[in-house]
Structures are given as structure tokens and as C-alpha cells.
Amino acid sequence: MKVKDLFFITIFFVTVLAGCSSGAVVTKATGFAYEIIVVMDNSKWNGIAGEVIKDELWASIEGLPQPEPSFKVTHVNPNDFNGLLTYVRNILIVRIDPNQYTKVSVNTENNRWSSGQVVMYLTAPDEETLVEWHQKNAGHISDYFTRVEMDRAAAQLQNTYSNLVLETVQEMFGASLKVPADMTYSKRAEDFFWASNNANTGRTDLVVYSFPYTDANTFTLDYLVAKRDSVLKENLPGAFPDSYMTTETRFELSYKPITVNGEYVGVLRGLWKMVGDMMGGPFVSHVRLDERNNRILVVEGFVYAPETNKRNFIRRIEAALFTLRLQGDAQ
């Protein structure tokens, strides 16, 4: 996107709010999720330092059926970075100067020019040093801005969410889960719950299911995929006879342990398909051990959006998975 294109979009989305007590004017951050401005000298942007930053921010995200960049990036020369451009929600400022810096440094700042904004400052004495740092810290920049966007989406869900899903998950599993309010279609079965927005474009579905915990081998890719396939085959039949949902194994799956709110979570990511039908798309699962009830609880989001980019759809439901709380979890 060219600077002038972002300029007109920014004009449309600028909103000014009056402060409650001081009368100060606070400008809300503008732009869309997973869009970022990179402020960097033109010569460096077109050099080796710019190339590693482009490669990271434009890298395809895993778990999608076709390549989609992690971010929509707009480059701005420092002399042109002013006015409405300073209100954009995600900003990366890269400064390379041997007279000011002796090593690579990374700092972040919130609400620098607008509320709800995050700014990352990346400084280095020269391009070669920055490239060396990047080789040791690949993914650091994109991971940071991705988690910021996830946190924003999860924060919005604290106020606007599907009461149907929240109440059903509480009743069936004794857990709390806040998902987008448009998920109003649902189905219940034994230890299984499904909800969907049933949208014509960007259909997003959620499943929650549990099963007894036996041993640590549960938290392996092979075990979780086998369990997923058995549960979904039984509970999510397709529109045609003998059709059902399963995991697409022709493409690479990923499994990664993370910590959420101080608790261990297994993240399973890949593609799904319907046997006996032509449907498919990306999915992401969060797997938790419910120690109080000696069981595994799985919450999963999956997307069906043929001929449409799926990045923001899957990331929107993935953000909702981070709101899962079991009994005894810190709120």
C-alpha cells in the first residue's frame, strides 16, 4: 500500500475523544488489525536491513491453505512520518546510526501519539549488526505485534461476547470462554459443544470437547490429532451421506506448548477437510489439562472461507481461545 492510500484510510478512521476530567483531547489509534507502518530511511529500507524486516513481516503465517503475509506493511521515510500517520495503531521505527548507537536495542512504547497504539523502536549502529541480531532473534518483531493484536481482540471480548457460548460452556464444562457475539448457532452432545456464526463469507466455527486424562502422552501431536479426528467424525457430520470432518494430513501440522495466564496450553494448528465433500480450511486448538476433574479440555476454532484471505478470520477466533479459564484459574 502506498503512503497516500493509507493517508485516506486514516482520515476516515480518525476519532477524537474528549478527556473526562482535564478536557484534553485523546486521539484513538487508527488502522486495521495486522497493519503496520515501518518508519525507516529509504536507503536502509532498500538495503540488507530492510530486506530482513520485510522478510519477517511479510512471512506467510503457518496453518493456512495458501500463503498470506503476517502483516500488511506500509513503509514511510522518517521525513514523511507526521500528522495522521502518527495515529496508526502499530508502528515500527527503525533507526540506524553509528554516531548514536553502539549495539542493537529494542524498546516498546504504548500510546505514544494515540490511545491504543503500540510503537516498537529498533536501533542499531549499522545494517550488518542489525542483520546479525535478526538472525539470532528471528520472529521477535512479528511475534510482538501479533500478540498485541491478539490481546486487543481478547480485550474487546471481555465486553462484547456470545452469552450463548459463555453460558453453555460454563454449564457443560465448568469453564469460562468468551467468543465473538455473532456465534449464535449451536449444537450440544455428550462432552461436546459446537457453535458457529454461520456467515456466508468468513464462516467461523468453535468446538469445545473433553475426554479423560490418562498420561503425559496425551500432549503429543499424534495423540491429539487422532482424538480430534474421532471426536469430530462422531459429532460433525457433513451435508452428504457418510461425510464428516477430519484433519488434513497431506500438509504439515504444528504442535507447540505455550503458557497462558500461567497455565500450560498445547496449541495444535493445521488444516481440516470434509471427507465426502469439497470443504476445508484452517483450524487452531488450545488443549488444557483440567486437573480438578482429571480430564483434557479442548477449545478449537476453524474457518471456512473459500476464495478469501483467511488470516484475520482465524486470528480472530484464535484470540477468543486465549479467554478460556478453568475453575481455579486466575481471572
Side-chain angles (χ1 to χ4, degrees), residues 314-329:
I314 193 65
R315 282 179 165 174
R316 180 173 181 247
I317 191 61
E318 183 174 1
L321 305 186
F322 282 95
T323 70
L324 176 67
R325 297 292 182 270
L326 307 185
Q327 290 181 349
D329 283 356

Side-chain angles (χ1 to χ4, degrees), residues 148-165:
V148 164
E149 290 290 7
M150 289 284 183
D151 288 345
R152 286 176 175 142
Q156 291 176 345
L157 288 171
Q158 297 305 314
N159 299 315
T160 304
Y161 51 84
S162 169
N163 280 308
L164 167 68
V165 172

Side-chain angles (χ1 to χ4, degrees), residues 20-87:
C20 296
S21 58
S22 64
V25 175
V26 178
T27 304
K28 292 184 66 176
T30 62
F32 297 102
Y34 301 101
E35 290 187 346
I36 183 170
I37 280 186
V38 179
V39 183
M40 188 175 182
D41 182 83
N42 285 339
S43 64
K44 304 299 190 298
W45 176 252
N46 295 319
I48 58 174
E51 287 303 314
V52 297
I53 292 174
K54 294 173 196 175
D55 288 346
E56 178 166 335
L57 296 180
W58 285 339
S60 297
I61 63 174
E62 61 180 346
L64 294 186
Q66 71 281 322
E68 292 185 41
S70 297
F71 294 89
K72 190 172 185 179
V73 179
T74 299
H75 166 249
V76 179
N77 196 57
N79 293 335
D80 299 321
F81 181 63
N82 52 53
L84 297 176
L85 293 177
T86 63
Y87 300 154

Side-chain angles (χ1 to χ4, degrees), residues 3 11 27 35 41 84 118 157 174 207 209 213 221 269 312:
V3 173
I11 287 178
T27 304
E35 290 187 346
D41 182 83
L84 297 176
V118 295
L157 288 171
V207 292
Y209 59 91
Y213 174 70
L221 188 149
R269 193 186 304 272
N312 286 8

Side-chain angles (χ1 to χ4, degrees), residues 98-134:
N99 296 318
Q100 295 189 58
Y101 312 110
T102 59
K103 62 180 181 179
V104 175
S105 178
V106 181
N107 295 287
T108 60
E109 183 178 11
N110 296 328
N111 310 318
R112 174 65 178 85
W113 293 284
S114 58
S115 64
Q117 179 186 68
V118 295
V119 181
M120 174 181 283
Y121 301 90
L122 176 60
T123 59
D126 53 63
E127 292 188 77
E128 291 75 15
T129 304
L130 190 147
V131 171
E132 291 176 4
W133 173 88
H134 183 269

Side-chain angles (χ1 to χ4, degrees), residues 4 22 115 156 182 197 212 219 222:
K4 65 178 181 180
S22 64
S115 64
Q156 291 176 345
D182 60 357
N197 63 6
F219 288 93
D222 290 343

